Amino acid sequence: MNINVNGKPVETAATNIAELAKELNLPEKGVAMAISMQMIQRQEWETTQLTEGCNVLIIKAACGG
């Protein structure tokens, strides 16, 4: 399936955003994900399905100033 992650095209075998997070080796903490600009709570990642062409935004927490 082809999706967009942070504005870049990505081909993935993931069917939900939990699988996508694993596929992209995202850390377990300090990451937020949104589909079509709607934030998805972590407990809903396994039940939130990806669809062809969807737009996923991944935000990683950063320390510093």
Side-chain angles (χ1 to χ4, degrees), residues 5-7 17 20-21 24 26-35 37-40 42 45 55-62:
V5 176
N6 291 355
I17 60 174
L20 180 64
L24 297 176
L26 298 178
E28 285 199 28
K29 295 186 177 186
V31 174
M33 296 180 81
I35 295 180
M37 302 304 284
Q38 181 174 350
M39 296 301 294
I40 308 297
R42 185 174 288 272
W45 283 14
N55 294 304
V56 179
L57 177 65
I58 299 172
I59 303 168
K60 296 179 186 176

Side-chain angles (χ1 to χ4, degrees), residues 4 6-9 11-12 14-15 17-19 23-24 29 33-34 36 38 43-44 46 48 52 54 60 64-65:
N4 295 300
N6 291 355
K8 296 180 183 175
E11 187 170 333
T12 181
T15 60
I17 60 174
E19 291 175 4
E23 194 175 285
L24 297 176
K29 295 186 177 186
M33 296 180 81
S36 300
Q38 181 174 350
Q43 62 264 29
E44 296 175 1
E46 288 188 18
T48 302
E52 184 75 27
C54 71
K60 296 179 186 176

